Amino acid sequence: MNQRSIPIPASALAVTAMLSVQLGSALSVDLIATVGAAGTAWLRLMAGAIIFVVLAGAAAQRDAPRVPAPVSQTGAPTCSPDSTPSR
């Protein structure tokens, strides 16, 4: 099934991002007293990650290129921790 994407203006994306940051900050003010600053930051990051996965996960998975396993694993031997350069 081929879906056409609807172009979204950059200004709409910018306003949405600003609204998201300001709304998240406003909603987390009372939460700081309960879980602390670090806990609030963690909760905000996790909420953002969940929203991102829900909104972009299916599209990213659908559009991901199919890479054969041997090609994607060619860097494994050169990046292993016990490999040392020979001199």
Side-chain angles (χ1 to χ4, degrees), residues 4-34:
R4 285 192 275 166
S5 62
I6 300 171
I8 301 172
S11 58
L13 293 174
V15 169
T16 303
M18 289 181 237
L19 180 67
S20 171
V21 169
Q22 295 299 323
L23 185 63
S25 183
L27 292 175
S28 67
V29 169
D30 295 332
L31 198 58
I32 292 174
T34 307

Side-chain angles (χ1 to χ4, degrees), residues 6-87:
I6 300 171
I8 301 172
S11 58
L13 293 174
V15 169
T16 303
M18 289 181 237
L19 180 67
S20 171
V21 169
Q22 295 299 323
L23 185 63
S25 183
L27 292 175
S28 67
V29 169
D30 295 332
L31 198 58
I32 292 174
T34 307
V35 294
T40 302
W42 184 83
L43 287 171
R44 288 181 69 188
L45 283 171
M46 291 303 107
I50 291 169
I51 291 169
F52 178 73
V53 166
V54 167
L55 293 178
Q61 189 175 25
R62 181 183 66 239
D63 298 336
R66 304 294 185 245
V67 179
V71 174
S72 64
Q73 296 174 359
T74 56
T78 59
C79 297
S80 63
D82 57 338
S83 65
T84 56
S86 59
R87 295 183 188 226

